[in-house]
Amino acid sequence: MAGSRYRVRDGIVVRRAPLPSGDVVVTLLSEDGKWRAVARKGRLLGGNPGRLSLFHDVRVQTYARRDDDLAVVTQVTLRGALARLADPDVYPYAHLLAELADRLTVDVHHGEPLHAWLASGLRGLDVDDDPERVALVHAWMLVRVAGLAPDVHADVGDGAGGARFDVPGGRLAADGEGVALAPDVASGLVRLVVDRPRATLAAPLPERPALWRALGRYVAWHVDRVKSLEAIAGTAPGAGPDRGPRPAVPR
Amino acid sequence: MSFPAPLATLIRELGRLPGIGPKSAQRLAFHLFQRDAADVDALADALRAAKRDLGRCPRCAGVMHAEEEACPICRDPARETGEVCVVEQPADLLAIERSGEYRGRYHVLHGALSPMNGVGPDDVTIPRLLERVANGEVREAILATSTTVEGEATAMYLAKALGEHEVPVSRIAYGLPVGGDLEYADEVTLGRAIHHRRRLD
């Protein structure tokens, strides 16, 4: 109905900000972009608030009053919940994908592709035996579909001689300015930035600490500060060479 | 029309409190203006005293009088059961106390793990909890963090960490609120209630 103050949209909850008043401001990513709404008394147990948990895929009816910035949540239907995302082995990566999607949509509406890749990444984290690889591949995909992927020069080739990653310039090349990358790191980065995600997910992905650091530097420069990425990349020195950086989880 | 400076300052400061919008701040400011000076002094004294005299319990991180060695619950010998209930906030502790069902001690985390908000294990009182475990203070832990994703993740993290110390860990039960109709329950709560159902003896 044209002009209706009620609106129904589907979306994934990417951020929740509980307020001391008991309300919760939720940020959702939909196919048509990012939006926010306030769930009155959203901290109460059960009912609508329970469906507005982080990472839930929901259908939300909102009511927008004339002078209010934020629409009020009036009904919520759960479309999908991924229980494994609270697992400490997966949780930091789910935060990373949600926060990165949130940051990438601050200024520009990247609708359908970003929503689709966030949903794909969260579903992958829920079922895959290697959540770290899922997170790396999908984090780079979010950057790619936002139009911020680095320019990979053809002379990088298979990365046999290593490469230079010019973070401010957004360029990956065989020589020139930038951080020196070892051959394995360079080839991994090329695959993450250029290859189809399905192919990258199907193959081993070595040198993960270095790949996380590269992503961390790149996102910090070109997007914004992403706290969950800092937490993951920051643990790299203590991480094993195969599994790469892990969140500080007792194992 | 602009307010006199002292009134504008009062409205501005009240408006910084959580849950107080500009209109509420204005109403409260005019209310205080109309109260007796003694009442306003009492309020100001209470605010100062709360800030000056309250602190965190060195054992459980709950709220206590700053001049005492520990909070009343940690000082109570009747609660020397070895059971420690882990909660996110001091208000959660009070809620459990009101239930009257628990007579052990507590540990207040002052938050839940949330990487996107920059909150890791060292940003809450998890290291202090592990110290208590190492000191033999904790024989059983009851994880009473919120049932949000953040609370769940914190509970799972603690279950792993405490499990390494071979401390028995339990999680508060999931279920439906008392006194509600089933059809109005959300799917997640209902699903968990069915998953964690119990046999009737």
Side-chain angles (χ1 to χ4, degrees):
Chain A
M1 184 171 65
S4 172
R5 293 182 188 176
Y6 285 97
R7 186 171 179 188
V8 178
R9 277 179 286 187
D10 296 341
I12 297 170
V13 181
V14 294
R15 192 176 282 275
R16 277 168 53 94
L19 305 177
S21 59
D23 300 341
V24 177
V25 176
V26 285
T27 306
L28 296 102
L29 184 68
S30 299
E31 290 183 358
D32 57 353
K34 188 174 78 173
W35 50 283
R36 296 197 300 164
V38 60
R40 296 277 181 225
K41 303 302 167 198
R43 295 172 72 186
L44 296 180
L45 294 174
N48 282 338
R51 300 183 183 104
L52 283 171
S53 291
L54 206 55
F55 314 131
H56 277 186
D57 190 351
V58 287
R59 174 164 295 164
V60 181
Q61 183 195 57
T62 54
Y63 177 79
R65 285 187 294 197
R66 190 170 298 159
D67 299 326
D68 282 358
D69 288 339
L70 287 181
V72 177
V73 174
T74 50
Q75 284 186 36
V76 185
T77 309
L78 185 69
R79 300 176 71 221
L82 304 170
R84 197 185 160 215
L85 299 187
D87 187 315
D89 283 342
V90 177
Y91 184 63
Y93 300 128
H95 268 255
L96 164 64
L97 295 184
E99 189 186 1
L100 187 55
D102 182 21
R103 291 283 182 238
L104 285 167
T105 45
V106 167
D107 297 314
V108 186
H109 265 223
H110 296 287
E112 191 174 0
L114 211 62
H115 172 265
W117 282 107
L118 174 63
S120 165
L122 294 178
R123 281 192 214 108
L125 289 178
D126 193 53
V127 297
D128 203 285
D129 291 335
D130 190 351
E132 185 187 19
R133 179 169 56 189
V134 172
L136 249 179
V137 170
H138 283 83
W140 272 110
M141 267 317 291
L142 291 175
V143 174
R144 285 165 65 176
V145 297
L148 296 172
D151 182 19
V152 179
H153 280 227
D155 59 0
V156 177
D158 62 0
R164 291 273 172 179
F165 189 28
D166 177 8
V167 172
R171 181 173 175 270
L172 183 66
D175 51 22
E177 293 183 358
V179 183
L181 299 182
D184 278 353
V185 180
S187 64
L189 191 54
V190 170
R191 285 165 49 207
L192 287 166
V193 174
V194 176
D195 285 0
R196 294 175 62 184
R198 184 171 290 183
T200 316
L201 284 168
L205 195 59
E207 301 294 345
R208 294 184 190 180
L211 292 172
W212 279 118
R213 283 195 296 273
L215 177 65
R217 286 195 193 104
Y218 191 78
V219 166
W221 184 274
H222 289 279
V223 184
D224 200 352
R225 185 181 178 199
V226 177
K227 290 178 182 172
S228 43
L229 178 55
E230 289 174 3
I232 292 170
T235 57
D242 180 39
R243 296 289 299 160
R246 305 295 296 178
V249 173
R251 302 183 63 83
Chain B
M1 174 196 153
S2 59
F3 293 119
L7 186 59
T9 305
L10 180 57
I11 292 170
R12 189 184 67 231
E13 292 303 315
L14 289 169
R16 291 172 60 186
L17 295 173
I20 306 288
K23 287 181 186 171
S24 297
Q26 191 173 308
R27 275 197 292 271
L28 285 170
F30 278 114
H31 174 76
L32 290 171
F33 174 66
Q34 288 169 348
R35 293 280 293 270
D36 293 340
D39 291 341
V40 175
D41 285 344
L43 177 63
D45 289 345
L47 288 171
R48 278 193 213 96
K51 188 63 189 169
R52 183 186 60 233
D53 297 337
L54 291 178
R56 283 189 188 181
C57 174
R59 293 173 72 179
C60 72
V63 178
M64 66 167 211
H65 197 291
E67 290 178 357
E68 293 170 346
E69 289 183 4
C71 70
I73 292 175
C74 287
R75 284 187 280 121
D76 184 353
R79 288 176 176 262
E80 191 71 66
T81 62
E83 282 182 349
V84 170
C85 181
V86 182
V87 295
E88 284 181 24
Q89 301 293 348
D92 301 335
L93 184 158
L94 294 175
I96 293 174
E97 282 294 290
R98 281 198 301 270
S99 76
E101 290 287 331
Y102 178 69
R103 295 297 298 167
R105 287 183 172 153
Y106 292 90
H107 190 86
V108 184
L109 295 173
H110 291 278
L113 299 180
S114 178
M116 72 169 66
N117 292 312
V119 181
D122 293 340
D123 299 305
V124 292
T125 62
I126 288 176
R128 192 183 300 179
L129 174 63
L130 297 179
E131 276 177 31
R132 293 180 73 184
V133 171
N135 294 338
E137 287 180 52
V138 183
R139 287 198 293 274
E140 182 185 350
I142 301 168
L143 304 180
T145 52
S146 299
T147 53
T148 58
V149 174
E150 295 91 329
E152 285 297 316
T154 306
M156 292 174 80
Y157 178 94
L158 285 173
K160 281 191 176 184
L162 297 171
E164 287 185 352
H165 291 82
E166 298 182 352
V167 173
V169 178
S170 56
R171 179 85 168 107
I172 52 169
Y174 301 105
L176 298 165
V178 174
D181 285 354
L182 209 63
E183 68 171 300
Y184 292 107
D186 72 282
E187 300 86 342
V188 179
T189 304
L190 200 52
R192 285 185 178 175
I194 289 172
H195 184 76
H196 297 279
R197 67 189 181 277
R198 64 183 176 87
R199 187 178 296 278
L200 290 174
D201 297 324

